[in-house]
Amino acid sequence: MGISIYYSARRKELLTDAEKDLIKKLISEYSVQQEIEKFNITGEGYNWTSFDVYDIKDSSGTEIIFEGSTQLPDNMNDAIWEGVQHWSALLSQIRCAVLNAEWYVAVEDHILEWDEEYLEYDLSK
């Protein structure tokens, strides 16, 4: 078993269609599908997995509007760190697009802190 990044957002209002569309666009922009395919064919690069968002019907709690987890690459010395940076950048973009929500983002049990000034997760803490 590998190390994963976990994420969820909760609020009383469901995601709007505009928010859903923006989230899909952001996930597409941060896609690692080409890297996954390259690794599967050549064995080169990181052993990425796709960004996973759970079906809200299967949500772990009430008022959950966005939830998922993604296993981090772990086949090279810097792979996990690269994965944390990549996925936390995506989650920062998603958080900025989904307003008025309470967010939880963690690598295993280490909660990533939000930097209000820079509007991103602070990976130094």
Side-chain angles (χ1 to χ4, degrees):
M1 284 183 59
I3 296 173
S4 295
I5 187 168
Y6 299 89
Y7 32 91
S8 65
R10 60 175 74 232
R11 72 176 184 202
K12 291 183 186 204
E13 303 82 26
L14 296 174
L15 290 172
T16 65
D17 288 340
E19 288 172 327
K20 289 177 187 176
D21 290 344
L22 185 51
I23 289 170
K24 285 179 189 175
K25 180 179 182 248
L26 290 167
I27 291 171
S28 177
E29 288 175 7
Y30 279 83
S31 173
V32 291
Q33 192 57 43
Q34 289 181 333
E35 290 87 343
I36 292 170
E37 291 171 12
K38 178 182 175 186
F39 179 79
N40 288 340
I41 293 169
T42 68
E44 296 176 3
Y46 298 135
N47 60 336
W48 291 98
T49 59
S50 296
F51 189 78
D52 189 27
V53 178
Y54 305 154
D55 186 343
I56 294 305
K57 292 179 228 152
D58 302 328
S59 166
S60 64
T62 60
E63 299 182 355
I64 297 286
I65 58 167
F66 179 84
E67 183 175 40
S69 68
T70 301
Q71 186 171 338
L72 298 170
D74 63 0
N75 64 322
M76 295 181 190
N77 288 338
D78 60 345
I80 292 172
W81 177 238
E82 289 295 323
V84 169
Q85 291 179 88
H86 182 79
W87 296 129
S88 68
L90 168 59
L91 288 162
S92 294
Q93 294 289 312
I94 294 172
R95 181 173 177 155
C96 288
V98 178
L99 303 177
N100 304 315
E102 179 184 325
W103 283 86
Y104 170 84
V105 175
V107 175
E108 293 304 318
D109 62 351
H110 179 80
I111 296 172
L112 300 185
E113 293 186 29
W114 181 250
D115 186 318
E116 284 292 340
E117 181 180 354
Y118 294 103
L119 301 177
E120 64 185 18
Y121 287 98
D122 183 349
L123 302 181
S124 69
K125 297 179 179 178

PDB file of all heavy atoms in Angstrom, residues 87-118:
ATOM      1  N   TRP A  87      -0.608  17.505  -6.848  1.00  0.00           N
ATOM      2  CA  TRP A  87      -2.015  17.389  -6.471  1.00  0.00           C
ATOM      3  C   TRP A  87      -2.454  18.504  -5.531  1.00  0.00           C
ATOM      4  O   TRP A  87      -3.600  18.946  -5.581  1.00  0.00           O
ATOM      5  CB  TRP A  87      -2.319  16.011  -5.896  1.00  0.00           C
ATOM      6  CG  TRP A  87      -2.139  14.905  -6.887  1.00  0.00           C
ATOM      7  CD1 TRP A  87      -1.412  13.762  -6.710  1.00  0.00           C
ATOM      8  CD2 TRP A  87      -2.676  14.810  -8.218  1.00  0.00           C
ATOM      9  NE1 TRP A  87      -1.465  12.979  -7.842  1.00  0.00           N
ATOM     10  CE2 TRP A  87      -2.232  13.601  -8.787  1.00  0.00           C
ATOM     11  CE3 TRP A  87      -3.480  15.641  -8.989  1.00  0.00           C
ATOM     12  CZ2 TRP A  87      -2.578  13.195 -10.068  1.00  0.00           C
ATOM     13  CZ3 TRP A  87      -3.816  15.253 -10.289  1.00  0.00           C
ATOM     14  CH2 TRP A  87      -3.372  14.041 -10.808  1.00  0.00           C
ATOM     15  N   SER A  88      -1.558  19.005  -4.685  1.00  0.00           N
ATOM     16  CA  SER A  88      -1.956  20.128  -3.823  1.00  0.00           C
ATOM     17  C   SER A  88      -2.146  21.398  -4.649  1.00  0.00           C
ATOM     18  O   SER A  88      -2.990  22.240  -4.307  1.00  0.00           O
ATOM     19  CB  SER A  88      -0.958  20.349  -2.685  1.00  0.00           C
ATOM     20  OG  SER A  88       0.277  20.812  -3.159  1.00  0.00           O
ATOM     21  N   ALA A  89      -1.406  21.549  -5.746  1.00  0.00           N
ATOM     22  CA  ALA A  89      -1.623  22.692  -6.642  1.00  0.00           C
ATOM     23  C   ALA A  89      -3.015  22.596  -7.273  1.00  0.00           C
ATOM     24  O   ALA A  89      -3.747  23.595  -7.343  1.00  0.00           O
ATOM     25  CB  ALA A  89      -0.542  22.746  -7.716  1.00  0.00           C
ATOM     26  N   LEU A  90      -3.398  21.408  -7.728  1.00  0.00           N
ATOM     27  CA  LEU A  90      -4.735  21.215  -8.275  1.00  0.00           C
ATOM     28  C   LEU A  90      -5.793  21.503  -7.216  1.00  0.00           C
ATOM     29  O   LEU A  90      -6.764  22.220  -7.463  1.00  0.00           O
ATOM     30  CB  LEU A  90      -4.909  19.798  -8.819  1.00  0.00           C
ATOM     31  CG  LEU A  90      -6.344  19.374  -9.166  1.00  0.00           C
ATOM     32  CD1 LEU A  90      -6.959  20.297 -10.214  1.00  0.00           C
ATOM     33  CD2 LEU A  90      -6.376  17.922  -9.612  1.00  0.00           C
ATOM     34  N   LEU A  91      -5.606  20.956  -6.029  1.00  0.00           N
ATOM     35  CA  LEU A  91      -6.590  21.160  -4.964  1.00  0.00           C
ATOM     36  C   LEU A  91      -6.679  22.628  -4.554  1.00  0.00           C
ATOM     37  O   LEU A  91      -7.761  23.108  -4.198  1.00  0.00           O
ATOM     38  CB  LEU A  91      -6.268  20.269  -3.770  1.00  0.00           C
ATOM     39  CG  LEU A  91      -6.552  18.778  -4.031  1.00  0.00           C
ATOM     40  CD1 LEU A  91      -5.825  17.904  -3.026  1.00  0.00           C
ATOM     41  CD2 LEU A  91      -8.049  18.512  -4.010  1.00  0.00           C
ATOM     42  N   SER A  92      -5.583  23.355  -4.638  1.00  0.00           N
ATOM     43  CA  SER A  92      -5.620  24.793  -4.374  1.00  0.00           C
ATOM     44  C   SER A  92      -6.506  25.494  -5.400  1.00  0.00           C
ATOM     45  O   SER A  92      -7.323  26.351  -5.045  1.00  0.00           O
ATOM     46  CB  SER A  92      -4.206  25.383  -4.418  1.00  0.00           C
ATOM     47  OG  SER A  92      -3.411  24.891  -3.370  1.00  0.00           O
ATOM     48  N   GLN A  93      -6.359  25.118  -6.658  1.00  0.00           N
ATOM     49  CA  GLN A  93      -7.180  25.712  -7.714  1.00  0.00           C
ATOM     50  C   GLN A  93      -8.663  25.375  -7.506  1.00  0.00           C
ATOM     51  O   GLN A  93      -9.530  26.240  -7.663  1.00  0.00           O
ATOM     52  CB  GLN A  93      -6.725  25.212  -9.087  1.00  0.00           C
ATOM     53  CG  GLN A  93      -5.340  25.661  -9.486  1.00  0.00           C
ATOM     54  CD  GLN A  93      -5.308  27.140  -9.802  1.00  0.00           C
ATOM     55  OE1 GLN A  93      -6.149  27.635 -10.534  1.00  0.00           O
ATOM     56  NE2 GLN A  93      -4.342  27.838  -9.242  1.00  0.00           N
ATOM     57  N   ILE A  94      -8.928  24.128  -7.151  1.00  0.00           N
ATOM     58  CA  ILE A  94     -10.321  23.718  -6.918  1.00  0.00           C
ATOM     59  C   ILE A  94     -10.894  24.471  -5.717  1.00  0.00           C
ATOM     60  O   ILE A  94     -12.024  24.959  -5.763  1.00  0.00           O
ATOM     61  CB  ILE A  94     -10.432  22.193  -6.736  1.00  0.00           C
ATOM     62  CG1 ILE A  94     -10.074  21.479  -8.053  1.00  0.00           C
ATOM     63  CG2 ILE A  94     -11.835  21.800  -6.268  1.00  0.00           C
ATOM     64  CD1 ILE A  94      -9.964  19.966  -7.931  1.00  0.00           C
ATOM     65  N   ARG A  95     -10.106  24.588  -4.658  1.00  0.00           N
ATOM     66  CA  ARG A  95     -10.586  25.301  -3.465  1.00  0.00           C
ATOM     67  C   ARG A  95     -10.927  26.751  -3.809  1.00  0.00           C
ATOM     68  O   ARG A  95     -11.921  27.290  -3.307  1.00  0.00           O
ATOM     69  CB  ARG A  95      -9.534  25.248  -2.361  1.00  0.00           C
ATOM     70  CG  ARG A  95      -9.978  25.960  -1.095  1.00  0.00           C
ATOM     71  CD  ARG A  95      -9.008  25.767   0.036  1.00  0.00           C
ATOM     72  NE  ARG A  95      -9.438  26.516   1.211  1.00  0.00           N
ATOM     73  CZ  ARG A  95      -9.113  26.200   2.443  1.00  0.00           C
ATOM     74  NH1 ARG A  95      -8.360  25.149   2.695  1.00  0.00           N
ATOM     75  NH2 ARG A  95      -9.524  26.938   3.452  1.00  0.00           N
ATOM     76  N   CYS A  96     -10.125  27.389  -4.638  1.00  0.00           N
ATOM     77  CA  CYS A  96     -10.397  28.776  -5.038  1.00  0.00           C
ATOM     78  C   CYS A  96     -11.658  28.877  -5.893  1.00  0.00           C
ATOM     79  O   CYS A  96     -12.302  29.930  -5.943  1.00  0.00           O
ATOM     80  CB  CYS A  96      -9.197  29.354  -5.781  1.00  0.00           C
ATOM     81  SG  CYS A  96      -7.786  29.676  -4.693  1.00  0.00           S
ATOM     82  N   ALA A  97     -12.023  27.793  -6.560  1.00  0.00           N
ATOM     83  CA  ALA A  97     -13.212  27.787  -7.418  1.00  0.00           C
ATOM     84  C   ALA A  97     -14.489  27.450  -6.655  1.00  0.00           C
ATOM     85  O   ALA A  97     -15.584  27.789  -7.094  1.00  0.00           O
ATOM     86  CB  ALA A  97     -13.031  26.776  -8.555  1.00  0.00           C
ATOM     87  N   VAL A  98     -14.363  26.778  -5.529  1.00  0.00           N
ATOM     88  CA  VAL A  98     -15.514  26.355  -4.728  1.00  0.00           C
ATOM     89  C   VAL A  98     -15.505  27.166  -3.435  1.00  0.00           C
ATOM     90  O   VAL A  98     -14.792  26.846  -2.492  1.00  0.00           O
ATOM     91  CB  VAL A  98     -15.461  24.836  -4.437  1.00  0.00           C
ATOM     92  CG1 VAL A  98     -16.630  24.421  -3.568  1.00  0.00           C
ATOM     93  CG2 VAL A  98     -15.431  24.042  -5.731  1.00  0.00           C
ATOM     94  N   LEU A  99     -16.287  28.218  -3.435  1.00  0.00           N
ATOM     95  CA  LEU A  99     -16.270  29.157  -2.319  1.00  0.00           C
ATOM     96  C   LEU A  99     -17.180  28.703  -1.178  1.00  0.00           C
ATOM     97  O   LEU A  99     -18.085  27.896  -1.367  1.00  0.00           O
ATOM     98  CB  LEU A  99     -16.706  30.535  -2.810  1.00  0.00           C
ATOM     99  CG  LEU A  99     -15.868  31.114  -3.952  1.00  0.00           C
ATOM    100  CD1 LEU A  99     -16.436  32.450  -4.403  1.00  0.00           C
ATOM    101  CD2 LEU A  99     -14.409  31.259  -3.538  1.00  0.00           C
ATOM    102  N   ASN A 100     -16.891  29.263  -0.007  1.00  0.00           N
ATOM    103  CA  ASN A 100     -17.722  29.052   1.185  1.00  0.00           C
ATOM    104  C   ASN A 100     -17.831  27.590   1.602  1.00  0.00           C
ATOM    105  O   ASN A 100     -18.882  27.150   2.074  1.00  0.00           O
ATOM    106  CB  ASN A 100     -19.118  29.647   0.983  1.00  0.00           C
ATOM    107  CG  ASN A 100     -19.061  31.116   0.635  1.00  0.00           C
ATOM    108  OD1 ASN A 100     -18.313  31.865   1.257  1.00  0.00           O
ATOM    109  ND2 ASN A 100     -19.821  31.525  -0.368  1.00  0.00           N
ATOM    110  N   ALA A 101     -16.756  26.857   1.430  1.00  0.00           N
ATOM    111  CA  ALA A 101     -16.746  25.448   1.836  1.00  0.00           C
ATOM    112  C   ALA A 101     -15.671  25.240   2.901  1.00  0.00           C
ATOM    113  O   ALA A 101     -14.681  25.964   2.965  1.00  0.00           O
ATOM    114  CB  ALA A 101     -16.471  24.544   0.637  1.00  0.00           C
ATOM    115  N   GLU A 102     -15.893  24.242   3.720  1.00  0.00           N
ATOM    116  CA  GLU A 102     -14.904  23.836   4.716  1.00  0.00           C
ATOM    117  C   GLU A 102     -14.090  22.697   4.105  1.00  0.00           C
ATOM    118  O   GLU A 102     -14.645  21.651   3.743  1.00  0.00           O
ATOM    119  CB  GLU A 102     -15.620  23.358   5.984  1.00  0.00           C
ATOM    120  CG  GLU A 102     -14.686  22.900   7.072  1.00  0.00           C
ATOM    121  CD  GLU A 102     -15.448  22.357   8.270  1.00  0.00           C
ATOM    122  OE1 GLU A 102     -16.540  22.877   8.574  1.00  0.00           O
ATOM    123  OE2 GLU A 102     -14.955  21.391   8.874  1.00  0.00           O
ATOM    124  N   TRP A 103     -12.796  22.904   3.982  1.00  0.00           N
ATOM    125  CA  TRP A 103     -11.925  21.960   3.277  1.00  0.00           C
ATOM    126  C   TRP A 103     -11.084  21.138   4.229  1.00  0.00           C
ATOM    127  O   TRP A 103     -10.648  21.616   5.274  1.00  0.00           O
ATOM    128  CB  TRP A 103     -11.004  22.715   2.325  1.00  0.00           C
ATOM    129  CG  TRP A 103     -11.721  23.143   1.089  1.00  0.00           C
ATOM    130  CD1 TRP A 103     -12.453  24.277   0.912  1.00  0.00           C
ATOM    131  CD2 TRP A 103     -11.810  22.408  -0.128  1.00  0.00           C
ATOM    132  NE1 TRP A 103     -12.983  24.309  -0.345  1.00  0.00           N
ATOM    133  CE2 TRP A 103     -12.605  23.177  -1.013  1.00  0.00           C
ATOM    134  CE3 TRP A 103     -11.295  21.196  -0.574  1.00  0.00           C
ATOM    135  CZ2 TRP A 103     -12.895  22.758  -2.301  1.00  0.00           C
ATOM    136  CZ3 TRP A 103     -11.579  20.782  -1.860  1.00  0.00           C
ATOM    137  CH2 TRP A 103     -12.377  21.559  -2.702  1.00  0.00           C
ATOM    138  N   TYR A 104     -10.830  19.909   3.806  1.00  0.00           N
ATOM    139  CA  TYR A 104      -9.902  19.009   4.491  1.00  0.00           C
ATOM    140  C   TYR A 104      -9.006  18.408   3.416  1.00  0.00           C
ATOM    141  O   TYR A 104      -9.503  17.795   2.466  1.00  0.00           O
ATOM    142  CB  TYR A 104     -10.677  17.900   5.216  1.00  0.00           C
ATOM    143  CG  TYR A 104      -9.787  16.794   5.741  1.00  0.00           C
ATOM    144  CD1 TYR A 104      -9.137  16.923   6.968  1.00  0.00           C
ATOM    145  CD2 TYR A 104      -9.593  15.631   5.005  1.00  0.00           C
ATOM    146  CE1 TYR A 104      -8.316  15.910   7.441  1.00  0.00           C
ATOM    147  CE2 TYR A 104      -8.773  14.618   5.485  1.00  0.00           C
ATOM    148  CZ  TYR A 104      -8.137  14.758   6.701  1.00  0.00           C
ATOM    149  OH  TYR A 104      -7.324  13.766   7.171  1.00  0.00           O
ATOM    150  N   VAL A 105      -7.708  18.642   3.544  1.00  0.00           N
ATOM    151  CA  VAL A 105      -6.734  18.041   2.625  1.00  0.00           C
ATOM    152  C   VAL A 105      -5.601  17.510   3.488  1.00  0.00           C
ATOM    153  O   VAL A 105      -5.048  18.232   4.332  1.00  0.00           O
ATOM    154  CB  VAL A 105      -6.201  19.063   1.588  1.00  0.00           C
ATOM    155  CG1 VAL A 105      -5.112  18.432   0.730  1.00  0.00           C
ATOM    156  CG2 VAL A 105      -7.332  19.587   0.717  1.00  0.00           C
ATOM    157  N   ALA A 106      -5.258  16.241   3.291  1.00  0.00           N
ATOM    158  CA  ALA A 106      -4.216  15.630   4.112  1.00  0.00           C
ATOM    159  C   ALA A 106      -3.465  14.573   3.309  1.00  0.00           C
ATOM    160  O   ALA A 106      -4.031  13.919   2.433  1.00  0.00           O
ATOM    161  CB  ALA A 106      -4.827  14.987   5.351  1.00  0.00           C
ATOM    162  N   VAL A 107      -2.198  14.444   3.631  1.00  0.00           N
ATOM    163  CA  VAL A 107      -1.403  13.326   3.139  1.00  0.00           C
ATOM    164  C   VAL A 107      -1.343  12.354   4.309  1.00  0.00           C
ATOM    165  O   VAL A 107      -0.757  12.662   5.354  1.00  0.00           O
ATOM    166  CB  VAL A 107       0.008  13.771   2.702  1.00  0.00           C
ATOM    167  CG1 VAL A 107       0.847  12.560   2.309  1.00  0.00           C
ATOM    168  CG2 VAL A 107      -0.076  14.773   1.556  1.00  0.00           C
ATOM    169  N   GLU A 108      -2.023  11.226   4.119  1.00  0.00           N
ATOM    170  CA  GLU A 108      -2.266  10.292   5.214  1.00  0.00           C
ATOM    171  C   GLU A 108      -2.901  11.081   6.365  1.00  0.00           C
ATOM    172  O   GLU A 108      -3.930  11.682   6.170  1.00  0.00           O
ATOM    173  CB  GLU A 108      -0.990   9.551   5.592  1.00  0.00           C
ATOM    174  CG  GLU A 108      -0.506   8.613   4.481  1.00  0.00           C
ATOM    175  CD  GLU A 108      -1.525   7.568   4.024  1.00  0.00           C
ATOM    176  OE1 GLU A 108      -2.216   6.977   4.867  1.00  0.00           O
ATOM    177  OE2 GLU A 108      -1.627   7.349   2.802  1.00  0.00           O
ATOM    178  N   ASP A 109      -2.270  11.145   7.535  1.00  0.00           N
ATOM    179  CA  ASP A 109      -2.901  11.860   8.649  1.00  0.00           C
ATOM    180  C   ASP A 109      -2.303  13.251   8.882  1.00  0.00           C
ATOM    181  O   ASP A 109      -2.611  13.907   9.870  1.00  0.00           O
ATOM    182  CB  ASP A 109      -2.850  11.032   9.932  1.00  0.00           C
ATOM    183  CG  ASP A 109      -1.433  10.737  10.381  1.00  0.00           C
ATOM    184  OD1 ASP A 109      -0.487  11.021   9.619  1.00  0.00           O
ATOM    185  OD2 ASP A 109      -1.259  10.212  11.497  1.00  0.00           O
ATOM    186  N   HIS A 110      -1.465  13.720   7.949  1.00  0.00           N
ATOM    187  CA  HIS A 110      -0.868  15.057   8.070  1.00  0.00           C
ATOM    188  C   HIS A 110      -1.722  16.068   7.291  1.00  0.00           C
ATOM    189  O   HIS A 110      -1.739  16.059   6.064  1.00  0.00           O
ATOM    190  CB  HIS A 110       0.572  15.068   7.539  1.00  0.00           C
ATOM    191  CG  HIS A 110       1.201  16.419   7.614  1.00  0.00           C
ATOM    192  ND1 HIS A 110       1.728  16.916   8.776  1.00  0.00           N
ATOM    193  CD2 HIS A 110       1.348  17.384   6.672  1.00  0.00           C
ATOM    194  CE1 HIS A 110       2.195  18.131   8.549  1.00  0.00           C
ATOM    195  NE2 HIS A 110       1.970  18.441   7.283  1.00  0.00           N
ATOM    196  N   ILE A 111      -2.424  16.910   8.016  1.00  0.00           N
ATOM    197  CA  ILE A 111      -3.308  17.900   7.390  1.00  0.00           C
ATOM    198  C   ILE A 111      -2.480  19.005   6.753  1.00  0.00           C
ATOM    199  O   ILE A 111      -1.557  19.544   7.378  1.00  0.00           O
ATOM    200  CB  ILE A 111      -4.288  18.483   8.425  1.00  0.00           C
ATOM    201  CG1 ILE A 111      -5.202  17.377   8.947  1.00  0.00           C
ATOM    202  CG2 ILE A 111      -5.099  19.624   7.826  1.00  0.00           C
ATOM    203  CD1 ILE A 111      -6.078  17.791  10.110  1.00  0.00           C
ATOM    204  N   LEU A 112      -2.789  19.328   5.499  1.00  0.00           N
ATOM    205  CA  LEU A 112      -2.118  20.426   4.803  1.00  0.00           C
ATOM    206  C   LEU A 112      -2.803  21.730   5.186  1.00  0.00           C
ATOM    207  O   LEU A 112      -4.027  21.839   5.141  1.00  0.00           O
ATOM    208  CB  LEU A 112      -2.170  20.227   3.295  1.00  0.00           C
ATOM    209  CG  LEU A 112      -1.517  18.942   2.755  1.00  0.00           C
ATOM    210  CD1 LEU A 112      -1.536  18.948   1.235  1.00  0.00           C
ATOM    211  CD2 LEU A 112      -0.099  18.773   3.272  1.00  0.00           C
ATOM    212  N   GLU A 113      -2.003  22.714   5.559  1.00  0.00           N
ATOM    213  CA  GLU A 113      -2.540  24.004   5.984  1.00  0.00           C
ATOM    214  C   GLU A 113      -2.743  24.916   4.787  1.00  0.00           C
ATOM    215  O   GLU A 113      -1.932  24.942   3.852  1.00  0.00           O
ATOM    216  CB  GLU A 113      -1.591  24.659   6.991  1.00  0.00           C
ATOM    217  CG  GLU A 113      -1.526  23.912   8.300  1.00  0.00           C
ATOM    218  CD  GLU A 113      -0.702  24.635   9.354  1.00  0.00           C
ATOM    219  OE1 GLU A 113      -0.643  25.882   9.316  1.00  0.00           O
ATOM    220  OE2 GLU A 113      -0.130  23.945  10.197  1.00  0.00           O
ATOM    221  N   TRP A 114      -3.815  25.694   4.834  1.00  0.00           N
ATOM    222  CA  TRP A 114      -4.161  26.634   3.783  1.00  0.00           C
ATOM    223  C   TRP A 114      -3.515  27.987   4.074  1.00  0.00           C
ATOM    224  O   TRP A 114      -3.575  28.486   5.199  1.00  0.00           O
ATOM    225  CB  TRP A 114      -5.671  26.788   3.706  1.00  0.00           C
ATOM    226  CG  TRP A 114      -6.128  27.719   2.634  1.00  0.00           C
ATOM    227  CD1 TRP A 114      -6.691  28.948   2.815  1.00  0.00           C
ATOM    228  CD2 TRP A 114      -6.070  27.502   1.225  1.00  0.00           C
ATOM    229  NE1 TRP A 114      -6.997  29.508   1.594  1.00  0.00           N
ATOM    230  CE2 TRP A 114      -6.617  28.647   0.601  1.00  0.00           C
ATOM    231  CE3 TRP A 114      -5.608  26.473   0.423  1.00  0.00           C
ATOM    232  CZ2 TRP A 114      -6.718  28.770  -0.783  1.00  0.00           C
ATOM    233  CZ3 TRP A 114      -5.702  26.590  -0.949  1.00  0.00           C
ATOM    234  CH2 TRP A 114      -6.249  27.725  -1.544  1.00  0.00           C
ATOM    235  N   ASP A 115      -2.897  28.575   3.069  1.00  0.00           N
ATOM    236  CA  ASP A 115      -2.301  29.899   3.179  1.00  0.00           C
ATOM    237  C   ASP A 115      -3.261  30.910   2.560  1.00  0.00           C
ATOM    238  O   ASP A 115      -3.413  30.946   1.333  1.00  0.00           O
ATOM    239  CB  ASP A 115      -0.947  29.928   2.468  1.00  0.00           C
ATOM    240  CG  ASP A 115      -0.204  31.239   2.664  1.00  0.00           C
ATOM    241  OD1 ASP A 115      -0.838  32.313   2.602  1.00  0.00           O
ATOM    242  OD2 ASP A 115       1.022  31.181   2.859  1.00  0.00           O
ATOM    243  N   GLU A 116      -3.918  31.698   3.398  1.00  0.00           N
ATOM    244  CA  GLU A 116      -4.914  32.677   2.934  1.00  0.00           C
ATOM    245  C   GLU A 116      -4.286  33.767   2.066  1.00  0.00           C
ATOM    246  O   GLU A 116      -4.932  34.304   1.181  1.00  0.00           O
ATOM    247  CB  GLU A 116      -5.637  33.323   4.114  1.00  0.00           C
ATOM    248  CG  GLU A 116      -6.661  32.449   4.761  1.00  0.00           C
ATOM    249  CD  GLU A 116      -7.878  32.179   3.891  1.00  0.00           C
ATOM    250  OE1 GLU A 116      -8.142  32.933   2.937  1.00  0.00           O
ATOM    251  OE2 GLU A 116      -8.573  31.190   4.180  1.00  0.00           O
ATOM    252  N   GLU A 117      -3.025  34.104   2.333  1.00  0.00           N
ATOM    253  CA  GLU A 117      -2.371  35.163   1.566  1.00  0.00           C
ATOM    254  C   GLU A 117      -2.078  34.719   0.135  1.00  0.00           C
ATOM    255  O   GLU A 117      -2.341  35.441  -0.822  1.00  0.00           O
ATOM    256  CB  GLU A 117      -1.076  35.600   2.251  1.00  0.00           C
ATOM    257  CG  GLU A 117      -0.366  36.716   1.511  1.00  0.00           C
ATOM    258  CD  GLU A 117       0.921  37.157   2.198  1.00  0.00           C
ATOM    259  OE1 GLU A 117       1.222  36.686   3.325  1.00  0.00           O
ATOM    260  OE2 GLU A 117       1.626  37.977   1.596  1.00  0.00           O
ATOM    261  N   TYR A 118      -1.529  33.532  -0.018  1.00  0.00           N
ATOM    262  CA  TYR A 118      -1.137  33.041  -1.336  1.00  0.00           C
ATOM    263  C   TYR A 118      -2.202  32.161  -1.999  1.00  0.00           C
ATOM    264  O   TYR A 118      -2.032  31.745  -3.138  1.00  0.00           O
ATOM    265  CB  TYR A 118       0.183  32.284  -1.247  1.00  0.00           C
ATOM    266  CG  TYR A 118       1.338  33.184  -0.864  1.00  0.00           C
ATOM    267  CD1 TYR A 118       1.843  33.178   0.434  1.00  0.00           C
ATOM    268  CD2 TYR A 118       1.894  34.066  -1.783  1.00  0.00           C
ATOM    269  CE1 TYR A 118       2.885  34.018   0.803  1.00  0.00           C
ATOM    270  CE2 TYR A 118       2.929  34.911  -1.435  1.00  0.00           C
ATOM    271  CZ  TYR A 118       3.426  34.882  -0.142  1.00  0.00           C
ATOM    272  OH  TYR A 118       4.460  35.722   0.214  1.00  0.00           O
TER     273      TYR A 118
END
